[in-house]
């Protein structure tokens, strides 16, 4: 590849072309690109965000993931203004929990719901109708899959904005979502996109189309989160909604020690309490 042999003379475009040409999973190309850009930034005495074109230095506040009204109360007491709630297949439980959280935190706190594709179309329609009175900021991935016609139908029938995460994994996928008018908000996860620069391009594309953008992480280390923050800083300042790039949980003083780190099984259990999360054979 052209990047080899250039060494210290490699430029920004060389690094990006090398990372994008790799025949590896997106998580690997993201890591390679971030590592090379970090080396370049250190050599030039700047930051990865600046290399990507950042013009500002402040990020939107982060949302906090909560499970119930008690955790929501603690989060808001600690200064949180945006809460994320995982909801699952049990529609009655979903509505009861969201209502309890709304009653506990009051009308000024923004509530974001993530269904992780747990609902079918019929349940999703019922959920969106029932939740409309609770002033929900948006519902993420209300149904599974990539049926953009179905997402557009939900969006047209819903008073609550629709956010898409799982279907947003490439610039081509984003363009299809925009053309289908299938979402109000898109969630960008740079590690799953496969690179910092391509994530910035996608954010600019979404913003130009009038979509809201949320940048967040999954189970990255602090290094991966730093890469996502660089992407956020390089995005148009008015493109981003409140992102998930800080502590995604309550502070260690507010929760049990065993839940300080992101716990995929716990998240799955919250979203789908009646589904088997782990089987040992």
């Amino acid at each position: 590849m052209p990047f080899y042999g250039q060494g210290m003379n490699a430029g920004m475009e060389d690094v990006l072309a090398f990372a994008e040409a790799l025949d590896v999973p997106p998580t690997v190309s993201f890591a390679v690109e971030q590592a090379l850009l970090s080396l370049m930034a250190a050599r030039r005495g700047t930051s990865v965000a600046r290399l990507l074109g950042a013009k500002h230095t402040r990020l939107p506040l982060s949302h906090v993931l909560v499970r119930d009204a008690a955790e929501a109360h603690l989060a808001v007491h600690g200064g949180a203004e945006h809460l994320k709630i995982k909801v699952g297949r049990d529609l009655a439980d979903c509505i009861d929990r969201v209502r309890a959280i709304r009653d506990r935190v009051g009308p000024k706190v923004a509530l974001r719901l993530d269904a992780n594709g747990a609902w079918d179309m019929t349940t999703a329609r019922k959920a969106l109708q029932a939740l409309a009175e609770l002033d929900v900021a948006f519902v993420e991935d209300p149904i599974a899959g990539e049926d953009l016609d179905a997402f557009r139908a939900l969006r047209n029938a819903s008073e609550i904005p629709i956010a898409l995460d799982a279907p947003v994994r490439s610039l081509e996928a984003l363009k299809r979502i925009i053309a289908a008018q299938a979402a109000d908000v898109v969630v960008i996860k740079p590690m799953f996109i496969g690179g910092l620069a391509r994530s910035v391009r996608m954010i600019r594309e979404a913003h130009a189309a009038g979509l809201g953008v949320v940048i967040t992480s999954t189970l990255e280390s602090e290094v991966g989160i730093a890469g996502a923050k660089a992407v956020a800083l390089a995005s148009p300042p008015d493109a981003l909604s409140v992102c998930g790039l800080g502590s995604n949980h309550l502070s260690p003083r507010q929760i049990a020690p065993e839940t300080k780190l992101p716990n995929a099984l716990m998240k799955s259990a919250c979203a789908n309490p009646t589904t088997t999360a782990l089987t040992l054979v």
Side-chain angles (χ1 to χ4, degrees), residues 203-223:
I203 291 162
R204 290 172 178 165
E205 184 89 13
H207 178 55
L211 297 180
V213 178
V214 173
I215 303 175
T216 188
S217 59
T218 305
L219 294 174
E220 289 99 309
S221 66
E222 289 299 322
V223 175

Side-chain angles (χ1 to χ4, degrees), residues 130-149:
L131 291 165
E133 66 181 47
L134 299 177
D135 192 21
V136 172
F138 60 69
V139 174
E140 182 180 329
D141 288 354
I143 57 174
E146 299 184 10
D147 185 343
L148 300 185
D149 290 337

Side-chain angles (χ1 to χ4, degrees), residues 136-171:
V136 172
F138 60 69
V139 174
E140 182 180 329
D141 288 354
I143 57 174
E146 299 184 10
D147 185 343
L148 300 185
D149 290 337
F151 283 117
R152 180 176 63 246
L154 281 177
R155 179 174 178 249
N156 290 339
S158 174
E159 296 180 26
I160 301 174
I162 301 298
L164 295 188
D165 171 8
V168 189
R169 293 294 181 262
S170 68
L171 180 60

Side-chain angles (χ1 to χ4, degrees), residues 19-172:
E20 292 202 7
L22 292 174
D23 185 18
V24 294
T27 53
V28 178
S29 61
F30 169 77
V32 170
E33 183 181 308
Q34 183 178 352
L36 293 174
L37 290 179
S38 296
L39 288 172
M40 179 177 288
R43 192 180 74 210
R44 297 183 180 182
T46 186
S47 66
V48 172
R50 292 290 185 187
L51 289 179
L52 292 170
K55 303 297 184 183
H56 54 114
T57 58
R58 300 186 64 184
L59 290 173
L61 296 173
S62 290
H63 60 236
V64 175
L65 177 64
V66 298
R67 291 173 290 184
D68 53 34
E71 287 191 353
H73 173 74
L74 288 174
V76 172
H77 184 70
E81 298 178 347
H82 305 262
L83 304 179
K84 181 173 181 177
I85 308 161
K86 294 279 189 175
V87 294
R89 295 178 182 176
D90 189 331
L91 182 54
D93 171 74
C94 160
I95 296 170
D96 288 345
R97 282 197 299 123
V98 176
R99 179 174 287 112
I101 290 171
R102 173 57 76 201
D103 290 343
R104 190 71 178 271
V105 302
K108 295 183 179 181
V109 176
L111 303 183
R112 299 172 166 191
L113 308 189
D114 184 359
N116 282 122
W119 298 326
D120 57 28
M121 278 292 289
T122 300
T123 304
R125 288 178 182 273
K126 291 179 180 178
L128 292 168
Q129 183 177 8
L131 291 165
E133 66 181 47
L134 299 177
D135 192 21
V136 172
F138 60 69
V139 174
E140 182 180 329
D141 288 354
I143 57 174
E146 299 184 10
D147 185 343
L148 300 185
D149 290 337
F151 283 117
R152 180 176 63 246
L154 281 177
R155 179 174 178 249
N156 290 339
S158 174
E159 296 180 26
I160 301 174
I162 301 298
L164 295 188
D165 171 8
V168 189
R169 293 294 181 262
S170 68
L171 180 60
E172 292 72 23

Side-chain angles (χ1 to χ4, degrees), residues 1-10:
M1 293 183 184
F3 180 73
Y4 286 125
Q6 297 197 38
M8 299 294 284
N9 294 320

Side-chain angles (χ1 to χ4, degrees), residues 145-268:
E146 299 184 10
D147 185 343
L148 300 185
D149 290 337
F151 283 117
R152 180 176 63 246
L154 281 177
R155 179 174 178 249
N156 290 339
S158 174
E159 296 180 26
I160 301 174
I162 301 298
L164 295 188
D165 171 8
V168 189
R169 293 294 181 262
S170 68
L171 180 60
E172 292 72 23
L174 173 63
K175 288 181 176 179
R176 290 193 293 270
I177 290 168
I178 292 170
Q181 299 182 336
D184 300 286
V185 178
V186 289
V187 179
I188 302 293
K189 293 178 176 174
M191 184 177 74
F192 287 170
I193 298 303
L196 288 73
R198 70 184 73 175
S199 296
V200 173
R201 290 198 295 271
M202 288 176 62
I203 291 162
R204 290 172 178 165
E205 184 89 13
H207 178 55
L211 297 180
V213 178
V214 173
I215 303 175
T216 188
S217 59
T218 305
L219 294 174
E220 289 99 309
S221 66
E222 289 299 322
V223 175
I225 292 174
K229 287 181 177 180
V231 169
L233 288 169
S235 303
D238 56 344
L240 303 182
S241 180
V242 173
C243 296
L245 296 174
S247 172
N248 204 29
H249 299 272
L250 305 178
S251 73
R253 290 176 295 178
Q254 295 173 320
I255 59 177
E258 63 270 18
T259 58
K260 291 179 184 178
L261 296 175
N263 187 315
L265 287 178
M266 181 183 72
K267 290 182 178 181
S268 177

